[in-house]
Amino acid sequence: MSESGAYRRAYDAAATDPETFWLDAARAVDWESAPTRALDSTTPPFYRWFPGGTLNTCVNALDRHVAAGAGDRVALIHDSAMTGARVSFTYAELLATVSRFAGVLAAHGVRTGDRVVLYMPMIPEAVVAMLACARLGAVHSVVFGGFAAKELAARIDDADPVVVVTATGGLEPGRTVDYVTPVAAALEMSTATPRAVIVRTRPEVSIETPATWLDWDLEMETAEPADPVTVAATDPLYILYTSGTTGKPKGVVRDNGGHAVALTWSMRNIYDVGPGQVMWTASDVGWVVGHSYIVYGPLFAGATTVLYEGKPVGTPDAGAFWRVIADYGVRALFTAPTALRAIRKVDPDAALLDEYDVSSLETLFVAGERLDPDTFAWASRILGKPVVDHWWQTETGWAICANLRGLEAMPIKSGSPTVPVPGFRVGVLDASGAAVPENTEGNIVLELPLPPGTLTGLWNDDERFVKSYLDAFDGHYLTGDSGYVDADGYVYVLGRTDDVINVAGHRLSTGSIEAVVASHPAVAECAVIGIHDETKGQRPSAYVVLKSGVSIDEDTLRAELVAAVRADIGAVATFRDVTVVQALPKTRSGKILRKTMRQMADGTEVVVPSTIEDASVLDALAAVFRT
Ligand code: COA
Ligand code: AMP
């Protein structure tokens, strides 16, 4: 499989002697008090990394580089295709700004362990606020700006923040997105009572803010910079809510120590990015990819990170990505396959690429959804550089499987995110829990304990953590993905086994969309499934049975349901498809056969369960899917 053996040695070392492997990796982190033990496994299935170690995450991201004389190195470049702004911060400048904003938060009562909810567009203040929380040992919870008030309220309720930080709005092609109204509405709906709301007024989005909200700039003028607070390695750094099978989002909890060790290790060994080199992760700070590789990973490594506001196409054109690579000498670009498909759609021959010098680019990394072979072939051909798929989840915080370009580059196989990253022990099990032979599809699981940097649990919900991930197969974490491993040990990830879908690299729960659709007065019942979408990979599609006696024009119903999903979940749901059907396929006990519907929609082999109540319903549905 490989030539130098560095991967095999690292993988075996992490598997057979994790104590030595991870304590060794921990030496790359600045500790206040260095850990003498790697893993605390005294209370399985809850594992903790680096017990006894103390540190500050912001110190590792900023202070240590300034102290080492790299204060003049560029830490953060903000490039907004929406406003034309291009601003950069050196490590010293970013440290000064973060310390001051930490002072603002402290002045409003934020203490170690307190939560701060951030609802921010892609502006430097988002990064500043995250790092300021880390500086105080407070726990940030960033909510993606494409979520509507109700989703925001659910997260505010669960996290119970002391402060909420926001901006007047975001900029999407062709429109400004008002953030003030959803934040105000969410606070109204929520039972939480934050002591302050701090708002960054963007000149491009002038929206009046409630009189009680505090202005970012005014607060900063009078703030005293705050010193870093030392926390335990096992203390939480952030909560990031993600979609599960039910409507209620899961609050994935990340620690400080394991996170710093894992991401620092990944920067050199996976991404091959070091001090002064430029990494651009074209994602959003509201997603895990943004947390790990717009903010923390590159800064831990002393690298330069690019925070880009805009889309890959139409801002101004499909050359936007190539322009950013050329302008900043980007060495590693990380994006989602959907962004490449969007570029390909408007510039299939990548004619715009010829206008830019992208020779600095060493590797294009992609994740967030399966990299389809067509997109892989296209991107490889136009760039002439390695296109590296890697597979991970909000829960894991970093890659489970990757081609570890820094440790040992491996041959790339189309359709596979390559091999398990050292520390992740991947298995493929059938429904009974038995390991399946190679090249056989099954449930992808990870042997416990998971490596550092992975979730320590769900916020305030140990029971759901165990039930969602650990109950299915004893001693294993259930990824929720199915796939197989080939004879070379390459892992292939085929898709989710649950009702989670991936729309344009954004993870959504069909259950939460169903809940909104089902609440329409004309709807008796409904099923929402993910169907194939040429650009976005998947999109949600609703199949609706009307209440008897109700007559409503299908276009009117569609418009009302689209508006309701947009209002309750947000634009990010990309919900447009509504089809009225006579009946939904169900088991005799009344469970809707969503998997069978998915198979019919995908055109894959339809396995009709023997428990089906009325198989003739499938014939009517088949006609619907054919159109
Ligand atoms: N705030 C407010 N609204 C947002 C938003 C934000 N932060 N992000 C997206 N939206 C809105 C969009 O404006 C759009 O609204 P519309 O229905 O009125 O057009 C809707 O949510 C859907 O957005 P999106 O799925 O992003 O579609 P798009 O057509 O605007 O762009 C892509 C499509 C593929 C170009 C874009 O999704 C993309 O670049 N994806 C990469 C995602 C990614 O990096 N994921 C992280 C994993 S690596
Ligand atoms: P998220 O938590 O939003 O990062 O979404 C995680 C899910 O996205 C995974 O469980 C997979 O279903 C999917 N996913 C992420 N990366 C990949 C990949 N490289 N290949 C296939 N699926 C992926």
Side-chain angles (χ1 to χ4, degrees):
M1 176 214 307
S2 58
E3 296 299 320
S4 79
Y7 164 72
R8 179 46 58 193
R9 282 195 299 279
Y11 181 86
D12 289 345
T16 55
D17 186 5
E19 277 293 311
T20 305
F21 184 86
W22 289 115
L23 278 178
D24 196 33
R27 278 192 258 284
V29 163
D30 269 16
W31 300 89
E32 182 66 31
S33 155
T36 52
R37 250 186 335 141
L39 181 67
D40 174 0
S41 52
T42 52
T43 50
F46 299 92
Y47 298 93
R48 296 289 178 261
W49 285 96
F50 308 111
T54 61
L55 77 166
N56 180 275
T57 288
C58 179
V59 165
N60 275 278
L62 301 177
D63 305 51
R64 67 186 302 211
H65 305 305
V66 176
D72 290 339
R73 187 188 298 153
V74 175
L76 174 72
I77 297 168
H78 179 234
D79 184 304
S80 172
M82 310 306 301
T83 65
R86 293 170 193 199
V87 186
S88 63
F89 294 76
T90 64
Y91 271 92
E93 287 165 346
L94 192 56
L95 173 59
T97 312
V98 166
S99 304
R100 195 169 276 275
F101 193 65
V104 171
L105 292 176
H108 292 289
V110 175
R111 302 281 176 264
T112 306
D114 287 344
R115 274 80 54 216
V116 177
V117 165
L118 313 179
Y119 186 75
M120 303 284 277
M122 291 285 282
I123 55 176
E125 287 79 2
V127 178
V128 168
M130 289 167 77
L131 292 166
C133 291
R135 193 165 189 80
L136 297 176
V139 181
H140 59 70
S141 184
V142 185
V143 180
F144 178 63
F147 283 118
K150 218 167 159 183
E151 291 285 325
L152 177 58
R155 288 156 174 78
I156 290 177
D157 269 340
D158 199 60
D160 193 16
V162 170
V163 169
V164 172
V165 184
T166 189
T168 45
L171 300 168
E172 287 289 299
R175 70 187 172 106
T176 52
V177 184
D178 165 10
Y179 279 28
V180 175
T181 307
V183 172
L187 289 169
E188 191 73 22
M189 282 177 220
S190 159
T191 53
T193 49
R195 284 188 219 158
V197 179
I198 300 169
V199 58
R200 165 84 175 124
T201 299
R202 298 189 75 182
E204 305 80 14
V205 194
S206 63
I207 291 173
E208 205 177 321
T209 57
T212 52
W213 291 15
L214 306 167
D215 180 74
W216 175 291
D217 289 338
L218 289 178
E219 292 292 308
M220 286 290 267
E221 269 174 28
T222 52
E224 284 295 321
D227 287 333
V229 175
T230 300
V231 297
T234 52
D235 280 343
L237 169 68
Y238 70 76
I239 307 168
L240 181 57
Y241 289 89
T242 189
S243 303
T245 39
T246 66
K248 189 174 183 282
K250 298 175 185 171
V252 166
V253 180
R254 194 88 55 217
D255 63 7
N256 276 274
H259 176 253
V261 172
L263 293 197
T264 303
W265 191 90
S266 74
M267 287 301 295
R268 179 47 73 210
N269 289 286
I270 298 180
Y271 301 99
D272 195 20
V273 171
Q277 295 176 329
V278 183
M279 179 165 195
W280 174 29
T281 299
S283 178
D284 189 287
V285 287
W287 306 115
V288 67
V289 168
H291 279 58
S292 295
Y293 295 110
I294 295 175
V295 185
Y296 289 110
L299 297 179
F300 287 152
T304 299
T305 186
V306 180
L307 178 78
Y308 174 77
E309 182 180 45
K311 301 271 157 151
V313 291
T315 53
D317 57 30
F321 270 31
W322 321 135
R323 196 268 299 162
V324 174
I325 295 171
D327 279 359
Y328 306 116
V330 171
R331 175 180 172 85
L333 166 62
F334 181 170
T335 190
T338 188
L340 302 174
R341 289 194 297 269
I343 296 171
R344 183 184 180 188
K345 203 168 157 187
V346 289
D347 187 16
D349 298 323
L352 291 164
L353 188 55
D354 294 338
E355 293 180 16
Y356 302 95
D357 175 5
V358 296
S359 56
S360 63
L361 187 72
E362 286 290 325
T363 315
L364 169 61
F365 292 91
V366 293
E369 52 170 329
R370 183 169 170 268
L371 174 60
D372 58 284
D374 253 17
T375 306
F376 166 71
W378 179 80
S380 306
R381 179 173 59 77
I382 63 150
L383 288 169
K385 297 284 164 80
V387 176
V388 170
D389 184 14
H390 58 331
W391 167 56
W392 50 307
Q393 312 183 310
T394 305
E395 290 85 343
T396 64
W398 62 303
I400 307 164
C401 285
N403 195 323
L404 295 102
R405 304 301 295 178
L407 181 64
E408 179 185 354
M410 291 188 181
I412 296 173
K413 292 195 196 184
S414 175
S416 170
T418 318
V419 290
V421 167
F424 287 98
R425 288 160 301 149
V426 174
V428 184
L429 307 181
D430 67 16
S432 73
V436 300
E438 64 190 30
N439 294 317
T440 306
E441 187 178 348
N443 298 289
I444 312 185
V445 296
L446 308 175
E447 247 178 76
L448 295 177
L450 300 178
T454 53
L455 80 171
T456 56
L458 295 180
W459 184 251
N460 278 338
D461 207 343
D462 285 350
E463 203 181 312
R464 190 172 182 203
F465 170 59
V466 173
K467 201 162 159 242
S468 307
Y469 303 107
L470 309 180
D471 266 358
F473 299 108
D474 201 27
H476 293 87
Y477 165 91
L478 181 72
T479 64
D481 283 310
S482 80
Y484 63 92
V485 180
D486 76 6
D488 293 329
Y490 277 53
V491 177
Y492 291 74
V493 182
L494 301 175
R496 298 286 306 190
T497 55
D498 54 15
D499 295 323
V500 166
I501 58 171
N502 242 288
V503 182
H506 307 148
R507 177 165 157 184
L508 296 168
S509 146
T510 53
S512 63
I513 301 175
E514 269 179 22
V516 180
V517 173
S519 64
H520 189 283
V523 173
E525 57 183 358
C526 69
V528 174
I529 58 170
I531 63 164
H532 176 73
D533 183 275
E534 215 176 283
T535 307
K536 299 195 174 188
Q538 283 186 301
R539 65 172 192 273
S541 193
Y543 300 87
V544 170
V545 178
L546 296 180
K547 284 182 183 156
S548 70
V550 167
S551 107
I552 181 168
D553 165 65
E554 197 159 329
D555 286 340
T556 308
L557 177 69
R558 181 176 302 113
E560 288 177 9
L561 291 177
V562 167
V565 171
R566 212 177 158 94
D568 279 8
I569 296 175
V572 67
T574 319
F575 179 72
R576 316 248 191 279
D577 299 355
V578 176
T579 308
V580 174
V581 294
Q582 291 309 311
L584 294 168
K586 287 188 196 162
T587 62
R588 284 187 284 277
S589 60
K591 193 168 168 286
I592 296 172
L593 292 164
R594 292 180 182 79
K595 190 170 170 193
T596 310
M597 292 178 70
R598 280 202 299 270
Q599 290 164 343
M600 294 176 79
D602 291 348
T604 54
E605 192 194 342
V606 179
V607 183
V608 182
S610 57
T611 51
I612 192 163
E613 185 190 30
D614 175 5
S616 72
V617 171
L618 295 180
D619 299 333
L621 263 187
V624 169
F625 286 123
R626 267 198 300 276
T627 56

